[in-house]
Amino acid sequence: MTKYHYCLLLIGSLLLGGCQSVEQLSIDYMLPAEVSFPATLKRVAVVNNMPEVPDNKLIVSEEEKKKEENELARITNYYNGDAAITAESLAEALANENYFDEVVICDSALRSKDISPREATLIQEEVGELTQSLNVDFLIALENIQMRSTRKISYIPEWGLFYGTVDVKVYPTVRVYLPNRRGPMVTANSNDSIFWEESGNSEAYVRSHLISEEDLVKQASDFGGTIPVKHLLPYWKTASRYLFSGGSVNMRDAAVYVREKNWEEAIKLWKQVYESKKGKQKMYAAYNIAFGYEMQDSIETAVDWALKAQTVAREVDKIDQKQGTGITTENVPNYFFTSLYLGELQERKEGLARLNMQMNRFNDDF
């Protein structure tokens, strides 16, 4: 269950505590990526900077002890991914985002001529030659792609079936290179999982129909190319917000201003409520003020007011008195609700700080 589902339950708890009108709203906002590119970087090339590996990409295999009562077998394998597939998938995923004017791919493995496999970052001369020959502004290089698969076979007596799963954790590493900088600008290490399952009347059937090792490496390598994109490019997030509009004339009038998208006047009325009321009404007003500033992209101010809402919620739910008896989401719904909102605002604030830091680093190199 997501935290938004929890929020809906908590709102119900809040409403049971008194006469309060609340409206659920949905907002979309963009979160910066771990890497932020200035507008001058319009053309990018994806290059494969991994050494070639043998056709058999299995690194090591470990047969593990059964961990569940109905489990018949479990084995963990470690693989090198197919770098060519991952690099192509990465280029396609970047192109589909329409963030850069042009995305090209260097098909050949840069380390293919090495006598012995090695992992090495690109030197400045190599970066300069590649950006010039490919007519791009900078490079995104695939440096590593590894994966860990856990293959399990179980018997489900309630259904009289054998059930098999393959869960693969994929670990791609990419680096960003600028032609006028020595060494990589950014290293992005990321991971995600891909999953397959099969069921049947016999263990042999399940084993034979689960994804093969060859297909596993291909599909997981293709999936691996999509993983770094959310770390390299900004992405949209949809979130739930709530507007509290009952309890006083000012709260109701402020809701009218919100429908007219006049956030400044609404905030003025909410601040009057915050200064004159206590308890839940004070908390609702502080939350609304934070929401109002968020809608105007004043994230730091929104965080400050969300902290005030959380502080009031702490008093409303008597957190200090419940420390010794145990605190749960059910007995501190106001505090939990305001804390969830505060956490999302802090995520946005940290993202903006990361964006500014990245932009400053890039500007220093130009």
Side-chain angles (χ1 to χ4, degrees):
M1 182 181 290
T2 68
K3 62 184 178 183
Y4 298 118
H5 292 156
Y6 279 121
C7 275
L8 292 174
L9 294 175
L10 291 170
I11 285 296
S13 300
L14 292 171
L15 295 178
L16 290 175
C19 250
Q20 177 61 47
S21 299
V22 60
E23 180 181 353
Q24 182 182 359
L25 305 172
S26 179
I27 69 168
D28 296 316
Y29 59 87
M30 181 173 285
L31 284 174
E34 293 179 8
V35 183
S36 299
F37 301 100
T40 51
L41 299 180
K42 299 179 180 180
R43 299 182 304 277
V44 58
V46 174
V47 299
N48 174 10
N49 192 35
M50 273 189 66
E52 286 193 353
V53 295
D55 291 337
N56 179 12
K57 299 176 177 62
L58 177 63
I59 302 174
V60 66
S61 179
E62 299 175 352
E63 189 163 355
E64 299 184 46
K65 294 181 179 179
K66 294 177 288 185
K67 297 183 179 181
E68 299 172 5
E69 181 181 355
N70 295 325
E71 197 172 299
L72 303 177
R74 173 192 291 253
I75 187 169
T76 298
N77 294 329
Y78 296 83
Y79 301 91
N80 287 307
D82 190 316
I85 292 177
T86 303
E88 184 176 350
S89 172
L90 174 59
E92 182 179 357
L94 288 170
N96 288 339
E97 293 296 320
N98 296 316
Y99 187 84
F100 301 110
D101 289 354
E102 185 178 8
V103 179
V104 300
I105 184 168
C106 179
D107 293 320
S108 59
L110 304 180
R111 301 298 173 196
S112 60
K113 296 181 181 179
D114 287 355
I115 297 175
S116 58
R118 63 188 176 98
E119 183 177 346
T121 57
L122 297 173
I123 61 175
Q124 189 173 10
E125 289 75 10
E126 289 176 311
V127 175
E129 291 175 2
L130 284 167
T131 52
Q132 186 174 7
S133 63
L134 296 171
N135 191 28
V136 294
D137 300 318
F138 72 109
L139 306 177
I140 296 178
L142 175 66
E143 306 277 340
N144 203 350
I145 174 70
Q146 293 188 339
M147 51 194 70
R148 183 191 72 215
S149 77
T150 301
R151 188 178 294 257
K152 296 191 298 183
I153 305 289
S154 303
Y155 179 68
I156 305 176
E158 295 85 355
W159 299 347
L161 288 175
F162 292 86
Y163 179 63
T165 61
V166 180
D167 190 359
V168 180
K169 197 74 170 276
V170 187
Y171 301 87
T173 298
V174 299
R175 291 191 173 103
V176 177
Y177 293 91
L178 302 179
N180 56 344
R181 179 185 173 90
R182 290 187 177 277
M185 179 66 196
V186 175
T187 298
N189 294 299
S190 53
N191 64 80
D192 205 343
S193 296
I194 187 170
F195 180 83
W196 296 269
E197 61 183 348
E198 185 62 64
S199 60
N201 294 323
S202 70
E203 181 178 351
Y205 176 89
V206 172
R207 286 183 181 276
S208 63
H209 284 77
L210 271 174
I211 188 168
S212 67
E213 185 177 89
E214 181 181 0
D215 288 340
L216 180 153
V217 171
K218 288 180 179 179
Q219 293 186 35
S221 296
D222 183 71
F223 172 69
T226 67
I227 298 172
V229 175
K230 61 185 177 183
H231 299 271
L232 296 172
L233 300 182
Y235 57 97
W236 286 95
K237 181 175 180 178
T238 300
S240 294
R241 297 289 183 261
Y242 301 91
L243 178 68
F244 297 95
S245 57
S248 71
V249 174
N250 280 345
M251 292 291 279
R252 289 191 290 271
D253 289 347
V256 175
Y257 282 124
V258 169
R259 295 184 187 96
E260 297 172 353
K261 301 190 183 304
N262 189 343
W263 292 101
E264 292 182 2
E265 291 300 321
I267 288 173
K268 287 180 183 179
L269 293 178
W270 289 327
K271 285 183 177 179
Q272 291 178 24
V273 176
Y274 179 80
E275 295 296 335
S276 62
K277 299 291 184 179
K278 296 181 179 180
K280 288 185 177 182
Q281 281 297 309
K282 190 180 185 75
M283 179 194 70
Y284 296 145
Y287 174 92
N288 282 359
I289 295 168
F291 177 37
Y293 280 115
E294 182 188 17
M295 292 301 292
Q296 298 177 90
D297 291 327
S298 298
I299 304 303
E300 287 196 19
T301 307
V303 169
D304 292 339
W305 280 98
L307 278 167
K308 293 177 181 180
Q310 185 193 52
T311 299
V312 178
R314 185 182 185 91
E315 297 172 357
V316 169
D317 286 340
K318 298 181 172 62
I319 294 286
D320 295 334
Q321 299 176 22
K322 296 175 181 176
Q323 291 285 3
T325 59
I327 294 176
T328 66
T329 57
E330 288 77 14
N331 62 19
V332 292
N334 300 284
Y335 184 77
F336 184 65
F337 167 69
T338 53
S339 297
L340 284 178
Y341 182 46
L342 175 61
E344 292 199 351
L345 288 176
Q346 288 174 331
E347 180 185 30
R348 294 192 66 180
K349 181 179 177 180
E350 291 167 3
L352 291 173
R354 188 169 62 244
L355 172 63
N356 291 332
M357 182 181 67
Q358 287 289 346
M359 292 301 293
N360 290 335
R361 290 178 64 186
F362 274 116
N363 291 334
D364 290 341
D365 289 299
F366 282 91

